[in-house]
Amino acid sequence: MAVYLRNFRSEIVLNLRIFRPWHCEKRSLAQLICGGALKRAQSITYPLRNVNTSVVYFKRRKTAEEKKAPRIIEFPSKSKNEVIGVWNGITMAELATVLKRDINYVRDLFLNEIHNPHTPIDDFKCLQNAVKRGGKRVKIIGRPIDANAEDKVKELKPRPPATKAELRPRPPVVTVMGHVDHGKTTLLDALRHSSVVEQEFGGITQHIGAFLVTLGSGAKITFLDTPGHAAFSSMRARGANLTDIVVLVVAADDGVMEQTLESVRMARNAKVPILVAINKIDSPKANIPRTENMLLEAGLQIEKLGGDIQAVPISALKKQNLNQLTEALVLQADLLDIGGDPTGPVEAVIVESNIHPFRGKLSTIVVQKGTLKKGDILVAGTAMAKVRTLKSADGVELSEVPPGYPAEIDGWRALPPAGEIVLQAESEKYAKQVIKFREEKLEERKMEDDLKVIEQKRDLHDKQYKEDVKRRRLLGKYRKSKPEGPRKPEIVEADGPPSINVIVKADVDGTLEAILETLDTYESEECRLDLVHYGVGPITQTDLELAKSFNAIVYAFNVDFPNNLKPLISGSDVQVKEHNVIYRLIEDFKEEVNNRLPQKEVEDILGEAEVLQQFEINKGRKVVPVAGCRCISGLLKREALFRVARNSSVIFEGQLCSMRHLKSEADVIKSDTECGLQLENEEVTFEKGDRIICFQRRMVEQTTDWDPGF
């Protein structure tokens, strides 16, 4: 009622155009309400003015007690309803899961305005009101990660082995292995009617190749040519794990060699059958029975000696008995009943990978499952590809590649490493998720390894700290705070052993792997090796800038050096060394290491004398001892250095003051000649039987003792 009267009073004041507060104070509210007063007030004319009113004019004044009381701010009580998390685009089905209620209950909350439970709700006000009807409050959160989707990313793995009913005949994969220069590539050239051996540098194979050979009988075989050099053990191991049959090539004139034994060991570890080809039977030094006995000693019992391993004597150069070898391969493949599943996602193995200057990143693969076609999305490690072209080893474009066939593909975003398993993904988005997941796993493994190293260093530091604290406590309280030794310099000059910085660029990934594995065996405290950078492909400007910054040597193995980059090194100290044979690259590296090693001092023993008696002569006022001795071996030179040894201990080392034969000075004393020797140090005395050794010192160049194994 009070509020109503206050508002009514304000309205009366406005209608009467009363602009001063004292007009209202002289009359009561009852007088203003009565009609007579209204008429008299309307007859009065006042000047027009603006009127501002506020509820502050009608606010009750505080009493003295209220003014002294502390100010208390009262806030309205918050709602105690449960808070649930929702996100943009949530559906009724997802909201039902959050509320832990059925879909009909959620549909009633939306007043049956939304019928499809999978429709995203974009109106946040509508969502908020619906949740409020359920007695809850909302807060915006991010969409939770689907655990099933993460598990789906982890499931990009090779399929289980196919059943026998799903298998279809496919060409067998045959790997040719053996020692270097035993004729492996010559054999493959004879089978495929090519001349690959003429294109090889240094007469050795330095790449692993895959190609299909169609025999005269119509049978097809996929051959893998592996290097026989000792540096390419990883390539041979990769070929042994990928193959169905291993053809071990052994030269009849050399017999079983070191890499032959290594090839046998790799084939046995891979659990694949072995077929022996005894090559070079046309050589004048060929000895087939000796080779067969050496094979028996190596654990290979051939059929001729009562075993189960086929051995075919051939001549790859003159193409003798090649039909017998191919028939033996086809028979072995039939016994193994080799087959492949051409359906489903593609599974393959990277044989080799390289960078082409015009086509980009390429890789040679052998398909194991599925049928590879253009446009397929492939994942190998952390590299992804969308296949643009398929080509055979001869450069012929293919429409598809079934199991057991090799092919060269391009379209890789990153260069895949050799030996990596290739799997097909359903889409580019899924492939990117797989790559991201694998990169995170690699990063986690790296962090775990780093954490182990950090913990080891921390344990070592704690151990040293505890020992130092224990030692300081034993010194006593007056000496434990005393600093140890002189103050160490803040700037430590690098006065250690020399180092050699290297950048390696190779034509293919397998050859780069072989070079890095060989360099990894280098360990020397006299000269440190720092590998600045390595990669596949031609030399780039970045490589030259890195070489200039780190004073490194660029080793280019069988790659081109662009002409436009040659002016960049003309006025700088950057060295670019091109090689196409691996052992020549290693020899050049050893020479560079030898050039960086400091010269060392060596001693050359010239002669030796035996003291017979000590004489004393007067030199001014002093008495000086002189050794009367006989030269028992070599020569004694006046200008050389002399060492006096007594009972296996050295008592003097320096030069002579005088050397005489009889009474005259001499420069050289020959063997079996008596002489007198006076040392620079006149305080050294002699005893009978002392040995006096005459020697010279000279500086010589050092050579590294590193042995790469070939």
Side-chain angles (χ1 to χ4, degrees):
M1 185 65 184
V3 174
Y4 173 78
L5 293 177
R6 186 163 59 247
N7 295 339
F8 177 76
R9 178 182 178 185
S10 176
E11 183 179 357
I12 293 297
V13 172
L14 290 175
N15 290 335
L16 296 179
R17 298 179 182 178
I18 299 175
F19 303 100
R20 295 181 178 86
W22 58 271
H23 287 288
C24 300
E25 294 175 359
K26 290 183 179 181
R27 295 176 176 84
S28 64
L29 184 61
Q31 292 176 346
L32 291 174
I33 294 175
C34 63
L38 290 173
K39 291 181 180 180
R40 287 193 299 272
Q42 290 176 357
S43 63
I44 303 173
T45 302
Y46 293 96
L48 297 177
R49 294 181 181 177
N50 294 331
V51 179
N52 298 323
T53 60
S54 173
V55 294
V56 179
Y57 293 151
F58 312 106
K59 185 176 180 180
R60 185 181 65 84
R61 294 184 178 180
K62 293 182 179 180
T63 61
E65 290 78 7
E66 291 176 345
K67 290 181 180 180
K68 294 179 180 180
R71 185 179 180 184
I72 300 176
I73 302 176
E74 296 182 359
F75 297 96
S77 60
K78 292 184 179 180
S79 176
K80 296 183 180 180
N81 295 335
E82 181 184 357
V83 179
I84 62 171
V86 297
W87 53 90
N88 294 330
I90 191 174
T91 62
M92 282 201 306
E94 295 172 340
L95 184 60
T97 304
V98 174
L99 294 175
K100 299 180 181 179
R101 305 296 292 269
D102 57 352
I103 194 66
N104 294 326
Y105 174 79
V106 179
R107 188 178 286 109
D108 293 339
L109 294 181
F110 285 94
L111 305 178
N112 292 326
E113 295 179 357
I114 302 176
H115 301 284
N116 189 356
H118 300 291
T119 302
I121 303 171
D122 299 328
D123 190 354
F124 178 74
K125 193 66 178 178
C126 176
L127 176 63
Q128 188 178 20
N129 293 334
V131 175
K132 188 181 294 184
R133 294 187 189 100
K136 301 182 184 299
R137 293 181 295 155
V138 299
K139 69 175 181 178
I140 300 296
I141 63 174
R143 180 181 293 273
I145 299 175
D146 189 4
N148 295 329
E150 186 177 356
D151 294 339
K152 185 178 179 183
V153 171
K154 299 178 183 178
E155 291 176 357
L156 188 58
K157 297 180 180 179
R159 291 179 287 163
T163 61
K164 192 171 182 180
E166 297 174 345
L167 297 178
R168 298 293 181 270
R170 66 169 177 84
V173 180
V174 178
T175 300
V176 181
M177 305 178 69
H179 193 73
V180 62
D181 199 25
H182 276 200
K184 299 182 297 299
T185 306
T186 305
L187 171 61
L188 294 175
D189 284 343
L191 292 174
R192 63 188 298 199
H193 306 289
S194 61
S195 58
V196 177
V197 69
E198 296 178 359
Q199 303 173 7
E200 294 176 340
F201 299 100
I204 62 173
T205 301
Q206 301 178 115
H207 308 91
I208 183 170
F211 46 85
L212 186 71
V213 174
T214 303
L215 304 178
S217 61
K220 296 182 178 180
I221 300 177
T222 298
F223 282 99
L224 297 181
D225 183 16
T226 59
H229 198 271
F232 301 97
S233 59
S234 297
M235 287 190 186
R236 288 191 293 274
R238 190 158 54 247
N241 293 325
L242 179 60
T243 188
D244 299 318
I245 304 172
V246 169
V247 174
L248 184 66
V249 179
V250 183
D253 52 356
D254 288 341
V256 176
M257 304 294 286
E258 182 179 356
Q259 271 68 55
T260 309
L261 298 175
E262 184 186 32
S263 301
V264 173
R265 185 172 61 254
M266 291 178 179
R268 286 178 173 173
N269 293 337
K271 298 180 180 180
V272 293
I274 300 175
L275 192 149
V276 180
I278 303 177
N279 193 20
K280 298 185 180 182
I281 60 175
D282 56 326
S283 175
K285 298 181 181 180
N287 191 344
I288 298 178
R290 182 179 67 91
T291 305
E292 292 173 349
N293 292 330
M294 294 178 70
L295 290 171
L296 183 62
E297 294 175 358
L300 298 178
Q301 190 172 6
I302 61 177
E303 293 178 345
K304 186 177 179 180
L305 300 178
D308 56 351
I309 297 177
Q310 300 183 72
V312 182
I314 64 171
S315 174
L317 187 62
K318 296 186 177 181
K319 300 182 180 180
Q320 296 179 7
N321 300 336
L322 295 184
N323 293 332
Q324 297 180 16
L325 179 63
T326 55
E327 289 174 1
L329 284 174
V330 174
L331 177 60
Q332 187 71 43
D334 292 339
L335 294 176
L336 295 175
D337 194 16
I338 297 173
D341 183 12
T343 61
V346 175
E347 294 181 14
V349 177
I350 300 288
V351 177
E352 195 59 274
S353 57
N354 64 326
I355 298 178
H356 194 273
F358 304 107
R359 297 175 57 194
K361 301 175 179 65
L362 308 177
S363 65
T364 302
I365 67 169
V366 174
V367 179
Q368 295 179 324
K369 294 180 182 179
T371 302
L372 181 62
K373 300 178 182 178
K374 294 181 182 179
D376 289 347
I377 307 299
L378 304 179
V379 177
T382 56
M384 183 186 72
K386 184 175 183 181
V387 180
R388 289 199 297 258
T389 58
L390 297 170
K391 290 187 178 182
S392 65
D394 300 329
V396 180
E397 290 197 9
L398 306 173
S399 58
E400 59 181 23
V401 183
Y405 285 77
E408 184 184 61
I409 63 176
D410 60 351
W412 291 97
R413 310 284 175 84
L415 191 68
E420 192 68 49
I421 298 177
V422 181
L423 301 175
Q424 182 179 358
E426 56 188 20
S427 63
E428 289 191 32
K429 181 179 179 181
Y430 182 50
K432 292 178 180 178
Q433 293 176 355
V434 173
I435 292 173
K436 182 179 179 181
F437 174 76
R438 292 181 177 179
E439 289 176 347
E440 291 176 353
K441 289 297 181 182
L442 292 175
E443 188 67 25
E444 290 178 1
R445 284 197 213 104
K446 183 180 178 182
M447 292 176 63
E448 291 177 359
D449 296 339
D450 294 343
L451 183 60
K452 291 180 181 179
V453 176
I454 292 173
E455 290 178 352
Q456 292 177 357
K457 292 185 177 181
R458 184 180 60 190
D459 294 341
L460 180 61
H461 176 269
D462 292 344
K463 182 179 179 180
Q464 294 177 351
Y465 175 74
K466 291 179 181 179
E467 292 177 355
D468 184 63
V469 170
K470 182 179 179 180
R471 182 180 55 80
R472 286 175 174 269
R473 286 176 178 173
L474 293 175
L475 293 176
K477 68 177 182 178
Y478 294 106
R479 298 181 59 188
K480 65 181 180 180
S481 60
K482 183 179 179 181
E484 301 178 356
R487 180 179 178 182
K488 297 181 180 180
E490 297 181 358
I491 300 177
V492 181
E493 297 182 359
D495 192 16
S499 63
I500 176 172
N501 301 330
V502 172
I503 295 176
V504 181
K505 297 300 290 288
D507 53 347
V508 295
D509 184 73
T511 306
L512 175 65
E513 179 186 18
I515 296 173
L516 296 181
E517 287 182 352
T518 304
L519 294 178
D520 191 51
T521 62
Y522 175 81
E523 291 183 1
S524 176
E525 298 180 356
E526 297 176 346
C527 182
R528 188 178 67 254
L529 169 62
D530 291 332
L531 187 62
V532 178
H533 175 65
Y534 60 88
V536 178
I539 299 174
T540 62
Q541 184 175 356
T542 305
D543 299 331
L544 299 180
E545 291 176 355
L546 283 174
K548 185 176 180 181
S549 301
F550 291 91
N551 192 20
I553 301 175
V554 181
Y555 283 105
F557 187 84
N558 204 16
V559 295
D560 297 331
F561 186 17
N563 294 327
N564 59 339
L565 297 180
K566 291 183 178 179
L568 297 178
I569 65 172
S570 59
S572 61
D573 296 333
V574 177
Q575 299 183 52
V576 178
K577 298 192 175 184
E578 302 179 65
H579 294 279
N580 47 30
V581 181
I582 187 168
Y583 57 79
R584 292 178 183 169
L585 185 147
I586 299 302
E587 290 175 357
D588 187 283
F589 172 75
K590 292 176 67 175
E591 185 179 352
E592 289 292 336
V593 172
N594 294 335
N595 293 336
R596 282 167 171 75
L597 293 177
Q599 293 183 342
K600 65 178 181 179
E601 189 178 62
V602 296
E603 292 184 358
D604 295 333
I605 304 297
L606 302 179
E608 185 176 349
E610 182 181 2
V611 177
L612 302 178
Q613 186 180 358
Q614 175 177 313
F615 297 94
E616 294 181 352
I617 61 174
N618 294 324
K619 190 177 181 180
R621 297 182 179 181
K622 297 174 60 178
V623 178
V624 179
V626 175
C629 54
R630 177 187 289 111
C631 180
I632 59 178
S633 64
L635 300 173
L636 302 181
K637 291 187 177 181
R638 169 73 173 76
E639 297 179 354
L641 298 175
F642 289 82
R643 181 184 298 121
V644 180
R646 179 182 301 162
N647 298 329
S648 68
S649 60
V650 178
I651 62 175
F652 171 79
E653 185 174 308
Q655 293 182 339
L656 297 180
C657 180
S658 175
M659 182 170 68
R660 293 191 178 190
H661 175 61
L662 299 178
K663 295 184 178 181
S664 60
E665 288 285 340
D667 293 332
V668 177
I669 301 296
K670 297 181 180 180
S671 179
D672 295 332
T673 304
E674 294 183 355
C675 62
L677 302 180
Q678 180 184 351
L679 305 179
E680 281 186 339
N681 189 354
E682 299 176 352
E683 297 179 358
V684 177
T685 59
F686 303 95
E687 294 181 2
K688 184 179 180 180
D690 290 348
R691 297 283 180 173
I692 300 178
I693 302 169
C694 177
F695 65 95
Q696 287 182 341
R697 288 181 179 146
R698 59 188 179 90
M699 304 300 293
V700 296
E701 301 289 340
Q702 291 194 70
T703 57
T704 179
D705 56 352
W706 171 55
D707 183 14
F710 53 85

